Amino acid sequence: EDWAQTWRSAGVKVAPATGVNLPLSPPNQWQQLAQDSELDTDEPPKFSVTPLPGLGSRKGASLGLDFQLANLGKNDLILGWGLEGGERTLAANISLTDPWAKGDPLDGGWSARVFNTRWPEDNFLEGEREVNLIHDHKPWVHRLGGGFQVFQPVTASGLVIGGGVNYQRVSIRNAAATDATFTRDQLGNRMTISDNGLDDLLTLNLLAFQDRRDDPDWPLRGYRFSLGTEQSLPIGRSALVFNRLSASFSQFVPIASSQTLVFHIGAGTFIGDVPPYEAFGIGGTNSVRGFKQADVGVGRSFVQTSLEYRFPITEDIGLPFLSRVGGTVFADYGTDLGSGDTVPGQPGEVRDKPGNGAGVGIGLRALSVFGPVRVEFALSDEGDARVHLNLGERF
C-alpha cells in the first residue's frame, strides 16, 4: 500500500535490494524510513546514506546501503541507488523519481527504476518437506529489469491513481555468481515457464490508492485501501499471459484514549498463467505472523485477514532515537483458497505447506527517527513460535 506514497516524499524510499517493487506487490513498510519533507528548490542537492543490515532465514546475514541525492537539479528530482550483499543475496538498483510539487495536492509524479537482484525465493523454501535443486542447492531467483510508473492524485482527500510498465527477465540459479540456469527442482517439478530457464515478463499495471489515516507513522483512526490490476504481454520464449488482481483495506477504529482496533483484509487472484515465483506466498511478518515467509502456502489466489488491538505504554520515552512506545495483541489468518495445486510445479504442495493457517500474538511498537519499529511474538495454529522484527507499519 505504500507504493503510491513513495513518489510523494522528498526522501523517496526505494530500498536498495529488497524487492522488485511491482505495483501489485507494494514495497515493505520499512521503506518509509524518513518523514515526508518539503525541499526548498533554491537549496543545493542533499545527499544521504542509509545502512540497512538484515538477518533472516532466506538471505542470512546481509548489509544494504541506500544512497539518495535529493533535490537534484534544484527541482526536487531524487536520484537513488542501492547495493546489497550477504550470505545469500547479491543485488543493486538505481532510480530517478519526480515527487509531487510543493504545496499542490493534485500534482502528479513519476518514477523510473532498473534493478538486478539475486537471492533465494520464499515460494520455493520452507514447508514440512525441503525440496531444492539438484545437488541440494537452494533455488535462487535472478531478476534483471526495470520499470516506469506515473502517479496522479485525483482528489484533495488523497485518492491516487497510477499506471506503468515493467519488464524483467527471471531465471532460477543455484548461487550468487553463476551462469547456470534451472527449469525444474530435484524432483522434476517445473520452476520456470520457458524450457530454457529464462522467463520474460512484460506487464502493464493500474492502481488506485487512498490513505485517510490520521498519522502514517502512528495511526489511531481512518482507513486506507488499494486496488490494482497487472496485465502481462506475451514476449520471449515464455510468452506469459496473465492478469493479476489485488486489493486490500485497513480500518482504524479508536476505542479509547490512544487505543485503536485495526481490521485488515487483503485478497488477490491470477487469471491465466501463474509463474511459480510470482504466485502469492502466504505467511510471514507482514502476512500471517507465527509462520515464516510463504510458509502457509503458495497459491494462485489468497485471502488474508487480521485483527489487532493497539494500546499506549508511554507517550514520551525520553530516548535520543525513540519517542512513543505501545503494545499490540493480534490475530491473523490466511488461505490460498485451495489453489496451491493450480500453480505450475506446485511449489507449496510439494513442500507440504498447509494452504491455510492462523497466528496469534503480542508485540511492542516504538516510534523511532527511522519510523515505526515492531517486535512481535506469535504462535501459529501448528504450535510453532516465532519472533518477528520489522521496520514500518503492519497496515
Side-chain angles (χ1 to χ4, degrees), residues 1-2 5 29 209 211 213 215-219 223-225 248-252 261-266 285-287 289 304-310 328-332 365 372 374 376 390 392-395:
E1 292 87 346
D2 288 328
Q5 295 184 38
Q29 305 276 0
F209 174 86
D211 188 346
R213 296 173 300 167
D215 185 338
D217 288 328
W218 203 265
Y223 67 88
R224 67 174 181 171
F225 80 89
S248 70
F249 179 82
S250 301
Q251 180 73 56
F252 297 78
L261 277 178
V262 187
F263 302 90
H264 172 80
I265 184 168
T285 185
N286 287 312
S287 178
R289 289 162 285 189
Q304 178 184 301
T305 61
S306 296
L307 174 64
E308 185 166 302
Y309 166 60
R310 298 178 176 180
T328 63
V329 179
F330 57 83
D332 304 319
R365 301 168 62 238
R374 294 185 284 125
E376 296 160 332
N390 207 354
E393 277 285 6
R394 169 69 176 84
F395 309 106

Side-chain angles (χ1 to χ4, degrees), residues 2-22 25-34 36 48-52 64-70 77-84 91-99 110-117 119 145-149 151 166:
D2 288 328
W3 169 73
Q5 295 184 38
T6 56
W7 63 276
R8 286 176 172 266
S9 170
V12 172
K13 298 85 188 174
V14 181
T18 55
V20 179
N21 292 356
L22 293 176
S25 303
N28 288 332
Q29 305 276 0
W30 62 262
Q31 293 181 17
Q32 303 297 312
L33 294 180
D36 287 355
S48 64
V49 180
T50 304
L52 298 168
L65 292 176
D66 184 16
F67 304 89
Q68 290 187 0
L69 186 62
L77 284 177
I78 300 161
L79 177 65
W81 63 100
L83 301 170
E84 185 180 37
N93 70 38
I94 186 169
S95 65
L96 183 65
T97 303
D98 177 20
W110 55 265
S111 181
R113 181 170 182 255
V114 295
F115 53 84
N116 190 348
T117 67
W119 54 63
F148 181 79
Q149 311 289 334
F151 312 92
N166 293 273

Side-chain angles (χ1 to χ4, degrees), residues 174-227:
N174 64 355
T178 178
D179 293 330
T181 61
F182 298 82
T183 61
R184 297 179 183 272
D185 63 28
Q186 62 190 169
L187 301 182
N189 301 297
R190 182 168 289 279
M191 305 182 77
T192 62
I193 301 300
S194 65
D195 291 328
N196 70 343
L198 300 175
D199 286 356
D200 292 300
L201 274 69
L202 177 64
T203 58
L204 304 177
N205 56 78
L206 293 172
L207 181 92
F209 174 86
Q210 188 173 37
D211 188 346
R212 297 287 289 165
R213 296 173 300 167
D214 60 339
D215 185 338
D217 288 328
W218 203 265
L220 298 177
R221 67 184 71 239
Y223 67 88
R224 67 174 181 171
F225 80 89
S226 66
L227 174 65

